[in-house]
Amino acid sequence: MTQPAARAYWITWVMLLALLVLTFALAHVRLGNLNAAVSLAIGAMKALLVALVFMKLRRASTLLAVFAVAGLLALAILFGLSGADYATRATTPAPWTSP
Amino acid sequence: IAWSTIPLAIFVGIFVWGARVYATLYQPADGAMKVFVVGKQWMWRVEHANGRREIDELHLPVDEPVRIVIATEDVIHSFYIPAFRVKQDAVPGRYTALTVTPTRVGTYELHCSEYCGTDHARMGGHVIVMPKDEFAQWLDQGAPEGGMAAHGKETFERLGCSGCHDPRATVHAPDLAGLYGRVVHLQDGRSVTADEAYIRDAILLPRKDVVAGYEPIMPSYQGQATEGDLLELIAYLKVVAPGDAMGQRTGTQSP
Amino acid sequence: MSYLTEGFSLRSWLFTKDHKRIGILYAIAITGFFFLGGIAATLIRMELATPAGDLVGADTYNKLFTLHGVVMVWFFLIPSIPSTLGNFLVPLMIGAREVAFPRLNILSWWIYVLGGIFVVLTLVLGGVDTGWTFYTPYSTMFSNSYVVMAAAGVFVVGFSSILTGLNFIVTIHRMRAPGMTWFRMPLFVWSQYATSLILVLATPVLAMTLTLMAVERLWHIGIFDPALGGDPLLFQHLFWFYSHPAVYIMVLPAMGVASEIITCFARKRVFGYKFMAYAILGIAGFGFLVWGHHMFVSGQSIYAGMVFSLLSYMVAVPSAIKVFNWTATLYKGSIEFSAPMLYALGFVGLFTVGGLTGLFLAALAVDVHLTDTYFVVAHFHYIMVGGTVMAYLGGLHFWWPKVTGRMYPETFARVAAVVMFFGFNLTFFPQYILGYLGMPRRYHEYSPDFQLLNVLSSAGASILAVGYLLPLVYFTWSIFRGRRAPPNPWHAKGLEWATTSPPPKDNFDTMPEVPTVPYEYDPREVAA
Amino acid sequence: MSEHTLGPAERAWRSETVSLGMWVFLLTEVMFFGVLFLAYFHVRHADPEGFGIASRHVHEWLGTFNTAILLTSSLSMALAVQAASGDDRKRLVRLLAVTGLLGAAFMGVKATEYFLEWKDGLVPGPGFRYSGAHRRTVEEFFFLYFVMTGVHAIHLTVGIGAVAWNALVARRERHVTRREDAIEALGLYWHFVDVAWVFLYPFFYLVLLYK
Ligand code: HEA
Ligand code: HEA
Ligand code: CUA
Ligand SMILES: [Cu+2]
């Protein structure tokens, strides 16, 4: 397989470390509920960078890309449908109702 | 295509019908009488709202909606009355419930249908559906004065709750009279309404919601208070009105 | 020179990298486990012949059905068709000389054996009594049996499934012969592909879930016990997230086998080939969306229950397509009732009955009554035993000449198929009625009212046992005494029939090319 | 078969096949970790506040430092893969060594963290000594923490072993392109372990740092 230039790797690495510093810094700032969202988003960005550049998904065949994404899809189903249970359990009528 | 749309249409039809019956099963009927059932390896303990207890038997009046509240001491069990076509799992750490209306007088089988260990096959008994007046009579026999809450009061003393929560006690603990339904302010600034789940957690997990102005000294009753005890304690706490001295008087109405 | 005569030492078998030999190794191993599970089933049925718990005590009975479930599901049915016929046939059918990773393939067999050792060890030490579902908190806090050991066995054997699935996926993507486009692949290969996807996606979930369960049991710390702040329903969600797709692991390969046999002995092309292929993928995909139908009365939210119920009906649509297309394939074909065909037709019939009763269970209100009764037991035995085991045996007969180079005795095979069919229905049909009448499952004692039906069922089980012993006998006989098989005894289409019986080590002497769509059968041409 | 005589078309075909195998394997890994993440959300959702309190007991500086180490090891791994396909044996061996050492350094820091937490009595089970508010959630937090970082550490250990082994083999190989596919697959695995950590890091170390 043809290899991307080393420079792309170094740039990615710098970006990754920059994101690391950013997320660490932001975690010290009070953002309320946003904190969790921000750190998750930055995590996802880092993961994406690693996957696209280091793992070469950017130039991989569609086949590989499909398999790379398939797991996320299956996880989405697992989280989504079991989440559906947890999210609606509270709204089902309480087993006891007040006298 | 027709071959796949036709079954699809049939399927959706069946689904809708099934779902509606299912939903009514779990909807609490207003004003339904309540029965509390606790599964335990390997028996069913029943307590009626007025405090009458039975084991492996459940007496019900005919033609009256009943809400059966189900809990378990240990593993998952499932409360199954084949003749009524109903069952519901008893899940540790929670209450589940069913609403049924028996329509015919008679004696029916009662089973445990979720595998729960050695004597799973022997865990069960009978459901006895009686005419209303007979049932009322039956219910009064052996019911303690003051109903289920009276059991709760005994438990309240037996487990030593009154040692702290009695207003005369020297320990600084909140007065529980009239607690039920009140808004409680917590140490961490949140406010919650004291419902069954809150009271249950307060007893089992006192550290979870600490009341503002108090030290977190209350011990956890996890493992000490059984599910039956909890049901009774909650029933008791629901009826003590403000002004009632804890540990002295109990309400007379049922929860 | 065939793959069978490539070497006779034990080593040449146990460390072979030949997918065909590995298929045979698997066949031997799973047959052993089938009989182990069968002995447990025999004891279960003997106990249930009388209402009293007299033959075995409660604890023994509980261990018996757990052993039966664990062994039959993970050590027999899941590996059955994929690991034996699949291993043997997938490379042949797509015109490849090997699977993509031969070394992983033999490793997978060894892992299977290791997992098997754990289970046998569990049995020897004293068994496990949680049911094959390992529900918490019974399994973590209350059971006094060898839960961790058994879970370890299932965990390990899971990796053998994963490796097989991985191998098939890559093989089917990368090793097809020139001209073998996706829509020229036999449906059997399609079914193996879909099965492999499920294996790869679902099995790790089971592995991790069982690990968490074992940790909770060993150290009393975890996420399933409410006393520790966990939720027992979380275990059920995770378990069924695996186990419902797993039931399609068990049935999809059987559908593949049935398609091959039916089209061959009806002398007609598969009706709606592309729809069949899409239906296979559809079942595999939808299969991931319905697991909650095992939890309708478990205390999950009723809204979640409704969603899962609706989705369960959706999965029946592609199943319906398959049944209709088989029927259409048979329609106006020149049908030959040879032994493999009898098995395949048995599969279609019993699967349909099992599938339709599955729909009863998926209807919420009906399930509230029927769940955890014998109705459920009957439902899944209809699909798994009546369906998949029948198809597996049909496949064994169909490809037996290819695998061994010998013909089996046709008359015996037909008799066995008929005996099995009757024995099967006698065993499990009464169980539908029992369930409807309200007999809960996992009971070693029951009310005397139910005795008649239980006796019928036990009687059926003994007939079924005879039915299963027959092939064991005549297959063994035929290896030594059977008539030599020609390369293509059924005049079937497909690359596996284009090579010798048994095939050479490298499968094909000259690399095949695939110019046309599969199943170019002609109704006028009648099998020999 | 002497593989370096393979034509470019065959080389590309094999590399794609091996990569596909690895990706499918990583798919199973995603599902494997997925269960743990579901458990994580379940616990966090049940008591967000206790979760935040618990997260204050881990060593966020060590964790951040470790993340940097691991990200850097991914860089050296990517460069190593490049060296392998460029048939540059010396560079390959050197980069693999760097990668392996960085991995080992990560494990060292992780071990230190574990040790500190053990000393603070934060290991769930009988030795769990924390007794402030939300004790149960804190215990659950540390249960998840040890299980999830533990599973990650096991993966990394396997990775370090494989890197070391490949470095040793490559040293004796005349044409390292022969091992190109293996190293490519190893790289994918290594990066995946890295990605898993990229999520573990904010999930455990960055929950509630602000005051
Ligand atoms: C190979 C195994 C297999 C397969 C393929 C299936 C297939 C299906 N199963 Fe089954 N099932 C099990 C194995 C299997 N099951 C097992 C082992 C259990 C019990 C686990 C335990 O608790 O121990 C179980 C339990 C089980 C339950 C839970 C019961 C309970 O415990 O309460 C439910 C509920 O919905 C269910 C539903 C279905 C449905 C809807 C299908 C569908 O996929 C079926 C689709 C097929 C058809 C519908 C037939 C063909 C269609 C036609 C002929 C079209 C014509 C039809 C119409 C127009 C209506 N199954
Ligand atoms: C692939 C799956 C599979 C297969 C093939 C079978 C096959 C059979 N099963 Fe089983 N079964 C399950 C999967 C399977 N089962 C599962 C998952 C459960 C649920 C477990 C649980 O609740 O946890 C279950 C539960 C189950 C029960 C319910 C137990 C209970 O709930 O209390 C019953 C009862 O009749 C039963 C019967 C049978 C019978 C008679 C067969 C027959 O088809 C078996 C026929 C085979 C033989 C009979 C072997 C033939 C050989 C011999 C007879 C030689 C004997 C030799 C000597 C004795 C020396 N099974
Ligand atoms: Cu209680 Cu089964
Ligand atoms: Cu299912």
Side-chain angles (χ1 to χ4, degrees), chain A residues 63 77 81 85-86 88-89, chain C residues 173 231 233-234 237 291 301:
Chain A
L63 180 59
I77 292 173
L81 282 178
D85 173 20
Y86 287 104
T88 54
R89 237 189 249 168
Chain C
H173 269 290
D231 180 3
L233 289 195
L234 184 64
H237 275 300
W291 77 82
S301 135

Side-chain angles (χ1 to χ4, degrees), chain C residues 131-154:
Chain C
W132 80 285
T133 46
F134 292 106
Y135 271 17
T136 56
Y138 183 72
S139 58
T140 52
M141 300 295 173
F142 291 89
S143 171
N144 295 314
S145 57
Y146 292 87
V147 180
V148 174
M149 178 83 73
V154 176

Side-chain angles (χ1 to χ4, degrees), chain C residues 146-163:
Chain C
Y146 292 87
V147 180
V148 174
M149 178 83 73
V154 176
F155 179 91
V156 169
V157 82
F159 283 93
S160 123
S161 301
I162 290 177
L163 289 184

Side-chain angles (χ1 to χ4, degrees), chain B residues 42 44 76-78 112-116 120 123:
Chain B
W42 290 274
W44 291 110
I76 305 178
H77 302 274
S78 193
C112 170
S113 66
E114 181 63 60
Y115 176 68
C116 55
H120 163 63
M123 178 169 171

Side-chain angles (χ1 to χ4, degrees), chain C residues 240 243-244 247-248 290-291 293-294:
Chain C
W240 292 116
S243 277
H244 187 85
V247 309
Y248 297 116
V290 306
W291 77 82
H293 66 207
H294 296 270

